[in-house]
Amino acid sequence: MVLLRLGSQALARSRFALSPLAETLGAVMALSRPCTDRWLAPWHARHHPDFQALLAADPFAKGLVTLVGSTKYLPDHVSLPPPDGMRTRLGDELARMATVPDDVVGASLRLAVEASWQRHDLGTWLTGHNWAARTAALFQHVWDAHLAEVWPRRRALLERDVTYRAGLLAAYGWPRAVERMNRHSVWVGADAIRFSSRPGHDRVVGPEGMLFVPYTGLGRGTWLCEGLGLPYALVYPARGSGDLQSVAARPREQALARLIGTGRAAILRALEHPATSSELAAEFGLSLGTVGGHLAVLREAELVVGERAGRRVIYRRTEAGDALATGGSSGAGAGTPP
């Protein structure tokens, strides 16, 4: 069991962040294996052949991706903490990655091999020099070819997760905010987060605090990022990643769409996790006016309510909205802490 230990000062300075690098790493892991998530299937089917062709043509890329997808220890240079909070840009992350020396990369890769459940022969693909720069080039290609087009929608989903957890933090503190970030994460005692059930040494978070970084769950895993001079960052799957699938994917959703309209049904289901109108517009690729019109109808029907938080209005489902969207199977409203 691995614990992250945080003192009072570390807690006060901990915060949320976004990382396009983490999103890219999740995509690499997802495209390296068969698809098991129905919501991910269309994206995976479009991009998997080209990604596999890339690996077939580049032994270094194939060896690295195979190792990353089959180890309990991610190489340090692919899992660096984001440097600029919610404003982090992929270019800045890859620039930092590219500067990691070969000896550091090699040592980290050997640790990853030791922690892998498969056999790997580094000598067959870890050749030449500038391994970190070559990794950065690979990640840039994955971003350009497979993620850049869908990033605005996925970023909106990540920002919604941050909004949700920031609300829990404000109301209940960090123990509730970190609850269920993954199936292992839980607050332990007065000053520690358990984020893994695997054996390992505890980490002590410094006075600068740590970062909590959602990604869309393409790899479904959770990992800890470490970097010299940077705070620890815990990367976790965002709530509602499965909402990226079509609203018409299941029979009950089809019936709900026929009842109240496809657009309003999609928004009502999406409000399982509270969101602003801007976040909903970005997620569905709609205008603010269209989203506002749907929300107005849902509010008049008392299926959603809006609550002001500073300059924003955050919408959530009412109990009636929950019952309509889930058939009464949901145990708590979207605004109720898990």
Side-chain angles (χ1 to χ4, degrees):
M1 180 174 69
V2 178
L3 297 179
L4 289 165
R5 298 197 173 275
L6 302 90
S8 58
Q9 189 173 9
L11 277 176
R13 294 186 177 180
S14 292
R15 57 208 180 277
F16 292 93
L18 295 184
S19 172
L21 176 61
E23 192 73 12
T24 308
L25 178 56
V28 165
M29 291 190 284
L31 290 171
S32 69
R33 58 177 72 113
C35 181
T36 58
D37 290 313
R38 182 172 59 180
W39 72 268
L40 182 59
W43 175 85
H44 191 277
R46 287 196 307 273
H47 296 285
H48 186 254
D50 289 343
F51 183 74
Q52 292 300 315
L54 167 68
L55 298 188
D58 186 343
F60 174 81
K62 183 175 182 179
L64 178 65
V65 169
T66 302
L67 177 57
V68 165
S70 61
T71 183
K72 299 177 181 178
Y73 178 89
L74 285 174
D76 293 342
H77 72 296
V78 304
S79 57
L80 295 169
D84 198 24
M86 297 293 292
R87 299 183 301 275
T88 297
R89 299 179 299 179
L90 179 68
D92 295 333
E93 293 184 286
L94 294 183
R96 177 177 277 107
M97 175 194 288
T99 64
V100 179
D102 280 353
D103 59 336
V104 175
V105 174
S108 183
L109 291 173
R110 286 188 286 274
L111 289 175
V113 169
E114 293 175 4
S116 175
W117 51 86
Q118 296 181 8
R119 296 190 64 181
H120 300 272
D121 184 358
L122 292 180
T124 62
W125 58 268
L126 192 61
T127 58
H129 303 284
N130 301 319
W131 300 323
R134 291 158 66 184
T135 304
L138 169 64
F139 275 50
Q140 183 69 65
H141 175 85
V142 171
W143 176 268
D144 292 340
H146 308 304
L147 281 177
E149 182 180 5
V150 297
W151 174 241
R153 188 178 181 188
R154 295 207 169 132
R155 182 185 177 99
L157 186 147
L158 300 177
E159 290 173 342
R160 286 181 59 195
D161 182 87
V162 171
T163 296
Y164 168 78
R165 294 193 182 277
L168 292 180
L169 172 62
Y172 303 101
W174 279 112
R176 187 66 61 86
V178 305
E179 192 173 39
R180 299 184 185 180
M181 280 184 170
N182 70 358
R183 64 179 181 271
H184 300 297
S185 62
V186 65
W187 198 267
V188 178
D191 66 346
I193 301 169
R194 185 190 74 200
F195 75 94
S196 173
S197 61
R198 298 169 183 159
H201 65 278
D202 294 351
R203 273 80 161 184
V204 177
V205 178
E208 73 279 2
M210 65 177 294
L211 305 174
F212 295 93
V213 183
Y215 77 118
T216 59
L218 298 176
R220 296 298 183 188
T222 301
W223 62 88
L224 187 68
C225 301
E226 303 179 48
L228 186 63
L230 294 171
Y232 287 114
L234 181 62
V235 179
Y236 65 92
R239 291 166 51 93
S241 296
D243 292 343
L244 292 172
Q245 63 180 307
S246 170
V247 72
R250 296 188 288 268
R252 175 170 180 80
E253 292 166 354
Q254 293 174 345
L256 179 62
R258 289 194 298 269
L259 179 65
I260 64 174
T262 301
R264 287 187 284 276
I267 288 174
L268 187 64
R269 284 190 52 80
L271 287 178
E272 176 186 356
H273 315 298
T276 66
S277 58
S278 297
E279 291 167 345
L280 291 168
E283 178 175 346
F284 291 108
L286 301 173
S287 70
L288 277 174
T290 298
V291 170
H294 289 322
L295 288 170
V297 173
L298 294 171
R299 290 183 71 173
E300 289 175 6
E302 298 184 351
L303 299 176
V304 306
V305 295
E307 298 175 342
R308 184 164 293 279
R311 307 175 95 180
R312 302 184 304 162
V313 177
I314 299 176
Y315 294 90
R316 63 173 179 83
R317 291 196 311 228
T318 62
E319 290 186 7
D322 279 333
L324 185 60
T326 66
S329 61
S330 177
T336 303

